Amino acid sequence: MTTADAVAKAVTALAADGPPPLQRAPELEMKSAPSVRVFVAAHHAAVNAILCDEERFSLRHYDELLAQVAGPTRYLVGENDDARKLRLRLLHAAQGHVDAVRRPAAVPNDPLPPNLALGYRDFIATIARDEASRILKVLAVRGQTGSPVNFAREYAFLLAYRMARRVVGVSGPDKAPLLVWLMIAYRNWTQAGPKVSLKGEAGTATTMLTLLHPLFGHVFGTVVKSTAVMRAITANTARHALASFDLALDKPHLAPPESLLAGLHAVRGQFPEVSDEDYRVQSRSVLFELAGALVLIVGKSLGEIAGFAVSPQGHAAGIDWPGLVDRLAVDDPTRTSHDAVINEMLRLGSSSQLVRTVRNDCTWQGVALNAGDRVLLHIDQASHDPAAFAQPECFAPAPDRPYITSGPLQGPHVCYGRAIAWTIMREAIVATRGQIVPVKGASLSAFLALPDNLAFTAA
């Protein structure tokens, strides 16, 4: 039985009459770790409760998985320890510096945190429109040749990489390592449609995406323990990716002045108690996570949204690509309706899972748990729970919907970059209006669980 089959079996059991909040999935357990039991949560109420209960459910396994392949590098998605709190302080200080640099565009007395402030979102939106316009101008040539545009590779992931380069301040490696060449060669051999090239800026974007993808899979796709092959691949790709961040940290003057890298360099004096080595390690961790989230998650989500909008499932749900573009093009100074539309598309067309580790022996909602047990949170199923979403298969965006597409709704692990991501995705979709449109009958194909090809054409 595959992992997907085992999860599906547990989800089916949870959907039965009078279900428990958790369903044990012994098929996901490993003989090499017999003391670690695995449970699945799929009901919206249970998933949300676990995400918000850090006293009982830990994120320490994410730190442990990173330590296996990435040395001291850590994510904000991890234990809320002193090192993580320092990373947050560095991030907020750097964000404050960026706000000061771009002060003419800032909204005075904005009560929201800097990363959520409307003034900062306006700043992000301006960059996204600029980068989207530049890409679309190049793709417009396809209108003369008649060749299709690969929305996933040539637009979504390229735009996400450009946003990471400008907002975070780190560029990809100049040359693709051997493992990347082999992975892309395998992709070109097995996948139909246009080949993916590693030349030029698009090649750099593909290289960075390919280097970051295994690490995210290793960390967020592992329930108990990843395979030795997966760890070896991840260690190799993470090493090459981190080398780009070390190079950027050595040359901060090359980063855009309104980037977080420039901000982290500028605010170093605010942290005299932190050693140079620790400051570098924590800064690299901050930049690495945010760049990875932009390059990988924003690009992936944008591709999946487009794929759902052109699919029969999207049409059955009540949304298509022109309708989506039109909805997001409507002016909304508060961005509330835009965010609701993006989250509704993520709810319907994207899939993800999160994992938590039980801290101590306890009984949670009638289920006896042991310290070290793993709980797999099925976000996709929870996002289709009829107890939380009336007519869950229908497109019905609303700001008061209990979305969990960007992780927990509250607490210390609320996604820091969620508003940045929503802004980029909205601008990217609206920018295509009158520029590129889906090919009739287009469907999204995937490679290694990432959007890979979706045929559009220049309008």
Side-chain angles (χ1 to χ4, degrees):
M1 180 179 289
T2 66
T3 298
D5 291 336
V7 173
K9 179 181 176 182
V11 169
T12 300
L14 285 167
D17 292 337
L22 302 175
Q23 176 67 38
R24 189 173 176 185
E27 297 86 357
L28 297 176
E29 297 167 7
M30 304 186 69
K31 293 181 179 179
S32 59
S35 63
V36 180
R37 301 180 302 169
V38 176
F39 294 81
V40 174
H43 296 294
H44 188 279
V47 169
N48 184 46
I50 291 169
L51 286 172
C52 297
D53 189 350
E54 198 170 345
E55 290 186 8
R56 292 185 180 87
F57 300 99
S58 165
L59 288 79
R60 68 171 182 265
H61 56 280
Y62 291 145
D63 296 329
E64 294 166 357
L65 289 164
L66 276 166
Q68 293 174 3
V69 296
T73 300
R74 296 292 180 269
Y75 291 153
L76 291 172
V77 183
E79 281 291 80
N80 199 29
D81 55 14
D82 289 341
R84 180 181 181 275
K85 292 174 182 176
L86 174 58
R87 289 194 293 277
L88 273 174
R89 288 172 55 209
L90 297 183
L91 180 53
H92 283 291
Q95 184 84 61
H97 173 79
V98 171
D99 286 347
V101 170
R102 63 169 190 87
R103 183 57 57 187
V107 176
N109 302 317
D110 198 321
L112 294 170
N115 60 305
L116 299 180
L118 292 176
Y120 188 70
R121 295 189 67 175
D122 288 340
F123 167 67
I124 295 296
T126 300
I127 296 176
R129 284 193 293 271
D130 177 51
E131 294 297 349
S133 175
R134 291 171 184 269
I135 295 172
L136 290 166
K137 283 181 180 178
V138 174
L139 296 178
V141 177
R142 305 290 179 85
Q144 302 170 13
T145 64
S147 55
V149 170
N150 182 346
F151 183 95
R153 292 279 182 175
E154 296 180 303
Y155 186 63
F157 283 122
L158 177 57
L159 176 61
Y161 166 73
R162 286 188 170 190
M163 291 302 299
R165 188 182 60 191
R166 287 185 63 174
V167 175
V168 179
V170 179
S171 301
D174 293 331
K175 294 182 180 180
L178 176 61
L179 186 55
V180 171
W181 279 101
L182 292 174
M183 293 172 71
I184 297 303
Y186 178 72
R187 180 267 171 209
N188 288 338
W189 179 49
T190 59
Q191 298 293 105
K195 305 302 182 185
V196 171
S197 172
L198 290 175
K199 296 180 180 179
E201 185 187 36
T204 302
T206 297
T207 297
M208 184 62 94
L209 172 67
T210 307
L211 291 175
L212 293 169
H213 184 212
L215 184 61
F216 271 71
H218 168 71
V219 173
F220 298 108
T222 297
V223 180
V224 178
K225 184 179 180 181
S226 65
T227 65
V229 172
M230 181 65 186
R231 290 196 298 274
I233 292 173
T234 303
N236 181 286
T237 53
R239 175 170 56 84
H240 286 288
L242 287 167
S244 296
F245 288 80
D246 284 330
L247 181 62
L249 285 166
D250 289 336
K251 301 179 179 180
H253 59 283
L254 298 180
E258 294 176 329
S259 67
L260 289 171
L261 171 55
L264 285 167
H265 179 68
V267 301
R268 174 65 182 97
Q270 298 179 23
F271 299 87
E273 75 284 3
V274 181
S275 69
D276 288 342
E277 180 181 359
D278 195 24
Y279 193 88
R280 182 183 180 89
V281 167
Q282 304 307 335
S283 295
R284 183 176 67 174
S285 294
V286 167
L287 298 172
F288 189 58
E289 177 177 5
L290 293 180
L294 283 172
V295 171
L296 183 62
I297 297 177
V298 171
K300 175 178 182 289
S301 299
L302 188 54
E304 289 174 339
I305 285 174
F308 183 79
V310 305
S311 70
Q313 293 83 1
H315 298 168
I319 191 66
D320 58 13
W321 183 256
L324 176 63
V325 174
D326 288 344
R327 275 180 171 268
L328 290 173
V330 174
D331 186 45
D332 178 10
T334 68
R335 291 192 165 84
T336 302
S337 65
H338 298 160
D339 294 346
V341 169
I342 293 295
N343 272 307
E344 183 74 345
M345 293 300 293
L346 292 173
R347 182 185 74 82
L348 290 168
S350 187
S351 61
S352 63
Q353 67 180 37
L354 297 171
V355 178
R356 295 292 186 265
T357 297
V358 178
R359 288 189 184 277
N360 302 296
D361 294 353
C362 64
T363 298
W364 186 81
Q365 295 192 12
V367 180
L369 299 173
N370 300 330
D373 286 347
R374 297 291 168 87
V375 182
L376 186 151
L377 309 174
H378 200 290
I379 304 300
D380 183 39
Q381 190 67 26
S383 295
H384 289 75
D385 187 346
F389 300 94
Q391 296 182 302
E393 301 304 324
C394 293
F395 176 79
D400 58 353
R401 297 271 245 179
Y403 296 116
I404 52 176
T405 56
S406 302
L409 301 174
Q410 59 198 43
H413 287 284
V414 169
C415 177
Y416 181 90
R418 64 194 186 282
I420 297 173
W422 298 336
T423 304
I424 295 171
M425 285 187 273
R426 183 260 175 177
E427 297 298 334
I429 293 169
V430 173
T432 66
R433 195 176 202 176
Q435 302 294 315
I436 56 175
V437 294
V439 171
K440 185 177 181 180
S443 63
L444 179 65
S445 66
F447 175 69
L448 299 179
L450 283 180
D452 185 66
N453 189 23
L454 180 62
F456 272 51
T457 186

